[in-house]
Amino acid sequence: MGYRFVVADDHPLFRGALQQALAGFGADCTILEAGDFDSVKALIAKDPEIDLVLLDLAMPGASGLSGLVALRGFSPAMPIVVVTAYDDPQTIRRALELGASGFISKSARMEEMRRAVKTVLDGGIYTPEEIELGEEGDPEISDLISRLQTLTPQQTRVLAMLAEGLLNKQIAYELSVSEATIKAHVSAILQKLGVDSRTQAVILLSRIGTDPLSEGV
């Protein structure tokens, strides 16, 4: 059996470029495509044998790094390589701290893309060699990332669903658990994030969404 990849990007031409990069991993590889975030989640839910997801941070339905957080909660053991045009050191460092197994700039050459994928498939973490990641310059973001890292996978998934605007009973249905269980998860999430309401939790999560990326952080 060959590798099973998900290429998640809303631009067909770039999905094609990623497919070319993955073609070097054997003719028996399976490459699944997704053009929006809901499609990514659906593919992952349907196929537990996926070996690697190549995830664009700016695709429809994904809010920057918060999309990465959501996928990590959805499938915590599945390697995710972030592929984006936002290739500044802060974005790369934050992606890795939030659970990405690697980072590929959309300006990278084909050889580098293949090297990144091989590194992650071999169990490593890939970062562009020429970039110095440095340290987090925003203490609030640093604290937020530290707090997000304390969430369990299920709590992370619940938080992501809160961000989608789902009610407790809807989340309970989606996760096949009781509403009381979801209420307990929400209480734990609020405590770990240091906020008083689900609205505040969602606002906090949005701080690592699309807007900070567009500001170049």
Side-chain angles (χ1 to χ4, degrees):
M1 293 289 291
Y3 292 114
R4 299 182 68 79
F5 299 107
V6 171
V7 173
D9 193 289
D10 60 327
H11 292 94
L13 287 177
F14 195 76
R15 289 203 303 270
L18 288 174
Q19 287 195 43
Q20 289 183 38
L22 296 174
F25 291 89
D28 55 347
C29 286
T30 299
I31 302 175
L32 307 171
E33 294 186 48
D36 58 68
F37 195 63
D38 286 342
S39 298
V40 180
K41 292 188 293 183
L43 286 174
I44 294 171
K46 187 167 58 176
D47 190 346
E49 302 301 319
I50 290 170
D51 294 290
L52 180 67
V53 174
L54 295 165
L55 177 69
D56 178 21
L57 291 180
M59 64 192 308
S63 182
L65 289 169
S66 59
L68 169 63
V69 172
L71 277 195
R72 292 266 28 94
F74 197 84
S75 186
M78 181 185 59
I80 299 173
V81 173
V82 168
V83 185
T84 182
Y86 302 104
D87 56 3
D88 58 281
Q90 288 195 69
T91 300
I92 298 173
R93 184 183 60 254
R94 290 174 184 178
L96 297 175
E97 290 177 347
L98 290 168
S101 296
F103 189 100
I104 300 174
S105 169
K106 286 194 172 183
S107 63
R109 296 178 179 273
M110 194 72 66
E111 295 77 12
E112 182 180 352
M113 292 182 180
R114 288 175 178 151
R115 186 165 64 250
V117 171
K118 185 177 188 308
T119 297
V120 174
L121 290 175
D122 289 343
I125 302 292
Y126 184 83
T127 57
E129 297 175 357
E130 70 278 6
I131 294 181
E132 177 60 46
L133 296 182
E135 297 182 357
E136 180 59 55
D138 186 334
E140 292 186 5
I141 292 293
S142 180
D143 179 66
L144 172 57
I145 290 174
S146 296
R147 289 176 180 274
L148 288 170
Q149 289 170 338
T150 69
L151 299 180
T152 66
Q154 190 76 323
Q155 289 167 357
T156 302
R157 193 171 177 185
V158 170
L159 175 60
M161 297 173 87
L162 290 177
E164 293 176 8
L166 298 185
L167 302 174
N168 285 355
K169 62 181 180 181
Q170 294 172 308
I171 299 174
Y173 176 79
E174 290 291 332
L175 300 183
S176 301
V177 298
S178 70
E179 192 171 346
T181 297
I182 298 304
K183 289 180 179 179
H185 281 318
V186 172
S187 295
I189 290 167
L190 299 185
Q191 182 178 17
K192 288 182 177 182
L193 295 184
V195 295
D196 298 322
S197 71
R198 53 198 289 150
T199 300
Q200 291 176 344
V202 171
I203 291 172
L204 202 59
L205 180 62
S206 72
R207 286 215 58 200
I208 57 168
T210 304
D211 290 343
L213 288 178
S214 66
E215 294 167 4
V217 299

